[in-house]
């Protein structure tokens, strides 16, 4: 990693013509687009590797109504591609990191120990978190140091995930392996007859590319100046990984399974489908009010969705592919389920799941504008690159606000601190009752209005694009709740 975002911004100060001359950039209306890295390593045939399930972290202690965990970041070598060793940076030396299962309303304290050679930052994506524990991108944990992150978890049950959030370097550090799942549970959800236990599966989906020796490829890690900015539109891998395994296979019973889908890719958007019905029961912020049956599901980077798949609709011996309709060739495959047995199944999906409060935009104190665009200074919000000292907004604690987001090209936008509801997409109201989100995809030349309410905590937070290369190239804005 030879060039920082600030170096790139100086280069890009020459203007859009300079960007157009960067090798490896394809342009639509002068804007860099995501670039695919091609692996040189021998790749396994699809569905030759069993699906791994990350271990569930155990608290090192519990006291005073809190559970205490320890995550040690360290370099390790693991087998991602069969027969090859791949160097990673991992929480606990694994990729993905261990899954943390916590309870809503019970304080969870995570001690991050950095045994890497670079600073890191921990962010609980989707967490309703005090500012000192939110992972502000300049709140660095230096090599050899540690920091405690306190998560009160005053929020609904939901599928969250945690990952590195270091300013300028989130892309390469997440790519190397610094990501894991974080499940919040509560009594309301546990009272429902949804699939549970081994039939409640976290599936962290991402893409990577590999050199001939199994090393992860990423622009700039090779030490060639200028390579990283050539990929500022986003980095795409040609190998789809689920829980760290390439195109894996899982043997399942003829029963319902809950799949907790998390798009942990740097820049790739997925259109997920099995060829059969997917019953969507949850979004970024937890359960929907009612289940919704869909044939395919779009997830931009950072987004999550909980779906129930009923494998009793298939015969023993049948195979069910989870495919990516937005991909081509090998990138159109994700994983495969093989139905291999009959088992008793007492689960069901009730017609009513939860109560979701609808925020009233008529009570908004202010409507704010956030324009996501490219320019002579790289990726910008409201015409400016990220400055951690500049507050782009100062919402008041307890206030409802409407934020209007507009884009040039596609940008998955992530809001820290509080979840939001989508009001309109290009002026049209979305179908169905409201749901809680923390990441929303802005497609090309699109305007999305969201409504949110800032609660519980005052302090600094960020709004940013979750295409991690866009984020590293300055597409982030700080705001302060006052």
């Amino acid at each position: 990693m030879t060039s920082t975002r600030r170096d790139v911004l100086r280069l890009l100060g020459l203007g859009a013509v300079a960007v157009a001359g960067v090798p490896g950039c394809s342009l639509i209306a002068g804007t860099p687009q995501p670039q695919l890295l091609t692996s040189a390593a021998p790749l396994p045939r699809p569905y030759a590797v069993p699906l791994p399930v990350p271990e569930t972290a155990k608290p090192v202690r519990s006291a005073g109504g809190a559970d205490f965990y320890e995550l040690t970041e360290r370099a390790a070598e693991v087998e991602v591609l069969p027969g090859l060793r791949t160097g990673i940076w991992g929480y606990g030396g694994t990729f993905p990191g261990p899954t943390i299962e916590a309870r809503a309303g019970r304080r969870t304290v995570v001690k991050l120990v950095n045994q890497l050679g670079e600073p890191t930052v921990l962010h609980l994506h989707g967490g309703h978190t005090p500012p000192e524990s939110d992972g502000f991108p300049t709140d660095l944990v230096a090599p050899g140091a540690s920091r405690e992150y306190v998560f009160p978890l005053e929020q609904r049950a939901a599928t969250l995930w945690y990952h590195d959030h270091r300013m300028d370097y989130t892309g390469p550090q997440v790519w190397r392996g610094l990501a894991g799942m974080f499940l919040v549970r509560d009594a309301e959800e546990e009272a429902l007859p949804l699939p549970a236990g081994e039939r409640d599966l976290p599936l962290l989906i991402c893409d990577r590319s590999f050199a001939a020796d199994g090393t992860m490829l990423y622009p700039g890690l090779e030490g060639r100046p200028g390579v990283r900015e050539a990929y500022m539109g986003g980095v795409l891998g040609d190998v789809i990984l689920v829980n760290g395994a390439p195109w894996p296979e899982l043997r399942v019973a003829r029963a319902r399974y809950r799949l907790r889908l998390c798009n942990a890719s740097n820049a790739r958007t997925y259109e997920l489908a099995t060829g059969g019905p997917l019953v969507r029961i949850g979004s970024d912020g937890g359960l929907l009010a009612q289940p919704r049956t869909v044939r395919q599901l779009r997830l931009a980077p950072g987004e999550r969705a909980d779906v129930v798949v009923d494998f009793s609709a298939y015969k023993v011996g049948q195979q069910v592919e989870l495919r990516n309709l937005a991909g081509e060739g090998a990138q159109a495959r994700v994983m495969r389920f093989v139905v291999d047995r009959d088992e008793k199944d007492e689960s069901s999906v009730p017609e009513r799941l939860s109560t979701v409060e609808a925020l009233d935009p008529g009570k908004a104190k202010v409507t704010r504008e956030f324009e996501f665009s490219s320019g002579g200074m790289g990726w910008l919000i409201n015409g400016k690159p990220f400055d951690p000292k500049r507050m782009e907004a100062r919402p008041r604690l307890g206030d409802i606000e409407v934020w209007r987001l507009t884009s040039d090209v596609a940008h998955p936008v992530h809001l820290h601190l509080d979840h939001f509801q989508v009001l309109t997409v290009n002026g049209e109201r979305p179908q169905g009752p409201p749901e809680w989100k923390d990441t929303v995809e802005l497609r090309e030349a699109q305007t999305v209005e969201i409504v949110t309410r800032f609660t519980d905590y005052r302090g600094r937070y960020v709004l940013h694009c979750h295409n991690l290369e866009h984020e590293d190239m300055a597409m982030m804005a700080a705001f302060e709740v006052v």
Side-chain angles (χ1 to χ4, degrees), residues 4-14 377:
T4 70
R5 176 177 59 79
R6 305 191 195 295
D7 297 329
V8 174
L9 295 184
R10 285 193 291 272
L11 289 172
L12 295 179
L14 297 174
M377 290 296 289

Side-chain angles (χ1 to χ4, degrees), residues 88 131 181 190 250 291 400 423 446 463:
I88 64 157
M181 299 287 276
E190 289 171 342
L250 177 68
I400 294 175
L423 290 176
Q446 193 173 68
L463 170 79

Side-chain angles (χ1 to χ4, degrees), residues 123-127 155 158-161 283-286 301-304 412-421 435-440 450 463-464 466:
H123 172 54
L124 177 57
H125 186 123
Q155 59 189 101
T159 299
L160 313 182
W161 64 302
S283 187
D284 300 339
E303 287 188 298
R304 286 92 61 216
V413 177
H414 174 47
L415 176 65
H416 287 221
L417 176 59
D418 276 293
H419 291 88
F420 56 79
Q421 294 168 0
E435 60 186 75
W436 292 111
K437 298 278 295 170
D438 59 53
T439 306
V440 64
I450 64 173
L463 170 79
H464 62 87
H466 218 279

Side-chain angles (χ1 to χ4, degrees), residues 47 271-274 321-325 329 332-335:
Y47 318 133
E271 289 270 7
L272 300 173
T274 62
E321 284 187 287
L322 180 63
R323 296 187 65 85
N324 171 29
L325 303 183
R333 295 183 166 116
V334 180
M335 66 174 293

Side-chain angles (χ1 to χ4, degrees), residues 46 53 82 92 132 225 228 255 263 283 326 340 342 408 433 452:
V53 178
E132 61 273 12
R228 192 175 173 203
N263 183 351
S283 187
D340 72 347
D342 287 301
D408 53 356
T452 189

Side-chain angles (χ1 to χ4, degrees), residues 193-209:
L194 298 170
E198 293 182 353
R199 297 180 191 159
D200 181 357
L201 285 170
L203 300 177
L204 186 141
I205 304 170
C206 61
D207 55 343
R208 298 289 187 269
S209 296

